[in-house]
Amino acid sequence: MTEAAAHSIRPAGKDALDEAAAILRTGGLVAFPTETVYGLGADATNDRAVAAIFEAKGRPRFNPLIVHLPAAAALEGIAEVDRRAQDVAARFWPGPLSLVLPRAKASPVSLLCSAGLDSLAVRVPAHPVAMQLLLRVGRPLAAPSANRSGRVSPTRASHVAESLGAEVSLILDGGPCPIGLESTVLDLSGKEPVLLRPGAVTREELEAVVGQLRDPEADGPHKSPGRLKSHYAPRLPLRLNAKAVGPDEALLAFGPTPPSGAAMTLNLSPEADLQEAAANLFAYLRALDRPDLTAIAAMTVPEESLGVAINDRLTRAAAR
Ligand code: TXA
Ligand code: MG
């Protein structure tokens, strides 16, 4: 960033949305809420603005960005839409699903968003603030999660301020994100559909529309850089499948009967509700990441529906 602007957090009312749109149209960065996590937005057609995202996040250049649109119809001229893409878009948009599609020939979207690939990730978010912002700006918005690269995604405006406060002049506050996990990423750029990142739209729901999904492992790391193993890392080591816990540890609990004895315990969902657990995950990981403790011990979450995405994030947070 050329200037170290002091951030301001503003409730996402009409005036704040107007100001945000003006900042974005002149190449600035604005953080805004979506139904998944807060995004760090920039005009996707402005190379310098997109580059500023990478700079603000300290993100490796090879990690491409998701471009947000107000409707599937806005894909015209931006990315190639085949029958499969049409079908999943009709079924799940607006919603927590990103599609990786071939770039259109003369796509106005910055090549930086594709980070060297010939594809582009796009989604239509289901959040009134994100939607109003997209409509006001009238341009596609590139928006990765509004955290420093490799750190947990922000699900509240205050998380953005903690992580990127100096890099972003305006943070639109729309309250806590209802889903709290990043979008499902489905790669439709090749012949077979590939699930690159699990999320709130599940494998089963997608397979009902596009048929069997291939796993990304076969593609190697170059194809899905977001699956770098250590990606959602708190500072403390994370211990998985915890059944007991020590007095120097923080416990990320799940369900009605967590073990006792931790220095601090936060329960993702005492009722074992996976949706509630997903919405709490990143906020709790942050709160438990205390420098005076030795580790975060995480209890097992069932490997079903949203639990798949939760375990994916936990496994990566544990990898180092
Ligand atoms: O829920 C979300 O998707 C949030 C909100 C703000 O929309 N955004 C988000 O963006 O999580 P980000 O940049 O943190 O994650 C984007 C993921 C990364 O794993 C990235 O590697 C992958 O999508 N991705 C983006 N473009 C891609 C492409 N062309 N090919 C393969 N993977 C891509
Ligand atoms: Mg991210």
Side-chain angles (χ1 to χ4, degrees), residues 219-234:
D219 293 342
H222 60 285
K223 179 79 196 215
S224 49
R227 295 190 63 91
L228 289 174
K229 254 183 108 200
S230 173
H231 192 71
Y232 299 90

Side-chain angles (χ1 to χ4, degrees), residues 85-176:
Q86 264 170 26
D87 289 348
V88 281
R91 170 76 179 75
F92 299 106
W93 282 355
L97 174 68
S98 296
L99 299 179
V100 175
L101 302 174
R103 286 178 67 96
K105 286 262 152 10
S107 181
V109 168
S110 168
L111 286 164
L112 270 178
C113 291
S114 298
L117 304 169
D118 47 18
S119 59
L120 196 64
V122 290
R123 87 176 187 98
V124 176
H127 192 288
V129 174
M131 190 55 80
Q132 286 169 49
L133 188 62
L134 283 162
L135 292 171
R136 269 181 171 72
V137 178
R139 294 179 198 164
L141 293 179
S145 51
N147 51 280
R148 286 203 170 276
S149 193
R151 297 288 160 192
V152 291
S153 293
T155 54
R156 290 173 169 69
S158 61
H159 297 164
V160 182
E162 280 160 33
S163 183
L164 292 175
E167 326 293 337
V168 53
S169 48
L170 178 58
I171 300 167
L172 288 176
D173 189 351

